[in-house]
Amino acid sequence: MSKFRNWIKLKRNKSLTIIFLITAVAIIISCVNLSRTSQPKADPEDQLVENKTEENDSKPENNEEKSLKTEDELKVEKVPQEVQQPQASNTKNYQQMYPELYCTRPQEQINPGKTIFLTFDDGPSDRTLEILDILREKGIKATFFVTGNCPAKGKAIMKKIVDEGHAIGVHTYTHAFKKIYASVNAFLDDFNKIYNLIYDATGVKPTIFRFPGGSKNGFNNGNYRELIAEMTRRGFDYFDWNLSAGDAVSRTPTPTSRCISNVLNASKNCRHGVVLMHDARPKTTTVEALPAIIDGLRSQGFSFDKLSNSISPAAYSLVKPYR
């Protein structure tokens, strides 16, 4: 009888031990679940930004020959309605920048036949005044894409450009490529400064511009499509070039004869053209070459005009400016 009682007691102790272990495990599981549910949920906007960053980091660089993205293609991927607005406002906040920085593009743009558009970058400077004298003497109107890196009299020269009937457009305020092309926001900051400087100096709100280094260069490989899309959305037209004097090949002036031949040899095969030249202070040979360039283009049957947003920029492919 004593053995039976001991056996019953042993079984009861084992049962109590099992019940105790099961209860302890259940309590631990409940605590873990409670801890998880009590943690705050990740912010949907933060999650979208993280996903977008990973996508950008893993995306291979687009090939140059691919066509430019449209504005719709540049929009962010569709996301659930409740988080779509935070995503858009965070990743494309540059569309909210400078609400006055817009212009109106004509519904139709033309391509004049047998016409040359002389353009000058990087002024104003003393060279600009010399170029204006030549243009006045030759009866030519041209286009000046100006910068903010000008002397104190730079604003007066800008006004003289406009007063003498030439076109004035945005080039860059700082001409600091790395800074300008760091982001769309940075580009707009720079653009807005020179835009307002031109307006303050001349009373003209420019509608055309030229990308520093051209629309596709070694500094904007990663975002040039987005830059073009945003500036186009705002109504501004940019002009590259299909002819060049090659006067920016080095820090020393390109020989006068080389500037002339660079333009006149290539223009023989053009129906119309935009000529890239520079009017920064060191470009003395550009000034020396200009009369012969004008006379040579006239002898090839070209007329001259200034650029505006009524001219279609599509025909003027970007060519390497250094020959």
Side-chain angles (χ1 to χ4, degrees):
M1 189 68 174
S2 177
K3 290 182 178 181
F4 178 75
R5 287 177 180 174
N6 289 336
W7 181 81
I8 292 295
K9 187 177 180 180
L10 181 61
K11 289 290 185 181
R12 184 167 46 194
N13 289 340
K14 287 184 177 180
S15 298
L16 289 174
T17 300
I18 292 172
I19 292 171
F20 174 78
L21 291 174
I22 292 174
T23 303
V25 171
I27 291 172
I28 292 172
I29 293 173
S30 298
C31 290
V32 171
N33 289 337
L34 180 62
S35 174
R36 286 179 177 175
T37 56
S38 64
Q39 291 179 359
K41 292 184 178 180
D43 188 342
E45 180 176 350
D46 293 340
Q47 187 63 43
L48 283 169
V49 172
E50 181 180 349
N51 291 343
K52 190 65 178 176
T53 302
E54 291 175 357
E55 176 187 341
N56 289 340
D57 290 342
S58 62
K59 184 182 293 184
E61 183 178 353
N62 292 321
N63 292 330
E64 181 175 350
E65 64 270 14
K66 289 185 179 179
S67 59
L68 299 182
K69 286 186 178 180
T70 64
E71 181 183 346
D72 290 336
E73 289 173 327
L74 286 167
K75 290 180 179 177
V76 296
E77 296 287 338
K78 287 188 177 180
V79 294
Q81 186 64 35
E82 65 271 17
V83 295
Q84 186 169 359
Q85 185 57 37
Q87 162 75 353
S89 63
N90 183 61
T91 60
K92 302 198 76 173
N93 65 323
Y94 57 75
Q95 291 190 349
Q96 313 305 319
M97 295 172 65
Y98 307 115
E100 302 300 320
L101 195 62
Y102 286 81
C103 65
T104 302
R105 180 184 296 107
Q107 291 186 350
E108 293 186 4
Q109 295 176 307
I110 62 173
N111 254 329
K114 206 61 177 176
T115 303
I116 288 289
F117 301 93
L118 301 178
T119 69
F120 301 90
D121 292 5
D122 297 354
S125 74
D126 291 339
R127 303 290 79 76
T128 310
L129 295 174
E130 295 167 356
I131 288 169
L132 288 173
D133 289 343
I134 295 170
L135 295 174
R136 189 185 318 110
E137 180 182 326
K138 297 288 187 180
I140 300 291
K141 301 303 178 187
T143 304
F144 294 82
F145 293 106
V146 300
T147 72
N149 293 335
C150 55
K153 60 183 178 181
K155 290 173 67 174
I157 299 176
M158 289 183 191
K159 189 173 189 308
K160 186 175 180 65
I161 289 171
V162 171
D163 288 347
E164 296 196 6
H166 304 286
I168 193 166
V170 167
H171 189 40
T172 168
Y173 188 84
T174 64
H175 216 275
F177 282 44
K178 288 184 178 180
K179 180 179 178 180
I180 295 167
Y181 291 126
S183 66
V184 180
N185 303 61
F187 185 87
L188 287 171
D189 284 336
D190 184 274
F191 191 100
N192 186 64
K193 286 181 182 178
I194 185 62
Y195 177 92
N196 283 303
L197 179 62
I198 293 170
Y199 180 52
D200 183 52
T202 68
V204 171
K205 293 183 176 181
T207 61
I208 60 175
F209 72 103
R210 173 167 287 155
F211 284 104
S215 59
K216 176 70 163 59
N217 60 71
F219 293 89
N220 66 6
N221 278 336
N223 61 5
Y224 76 95
R225 289 183 174 87
E226 196 170 8
L227 289 168
I228 289 172
E230 177 60 12
M231 298 312 296
T232 301
R233 186 186 72 84
R234 289 174 178 261
F236 294 96
D237 283 322
Y238 69 92
F239 285 87
D240 285 321
W241 56 88
N242 59 340
L243 295 169
S244 172
D247 56 355
V249 66
S250 67
R251 293 183 181 274
T252 58
T254 302
T256 302
S257 60
R258 179 66 61 83
C259 291
I260 296 169
S261 62
N262 280 344
V263 175
L264 297 184
N265 289 343
S267 61
K268 296 174 183 178
N269 302 315
C270 292
R271 178 173 170 268
H272 39 63
V274 172
V275 183
L276 172 67
M277 292 180 281
H278 296 80
D279 58 331
R281 187 179 180 86
K283 306 304 178 182
T284 54
T285 57
T286 303
V287 177
E288 294 169 1
L290 185 57
I293 289 174
I294 292 173
D295 292 343
L297 290 169
R298 271 182 168 154
S299 68
Q300 292 177 5
F302 288 103
S303 59
F304 296 85
D305 203 352
K306 59 184 178 182
L307 291 172
S308 71
N309 64 352
S310 65
I311 307 298
S312 173
Y316 309 106
S317 60
L318 181 67
V319 298
K320 197 170 185 179
Y322 314 132
R323 295 176 182 272

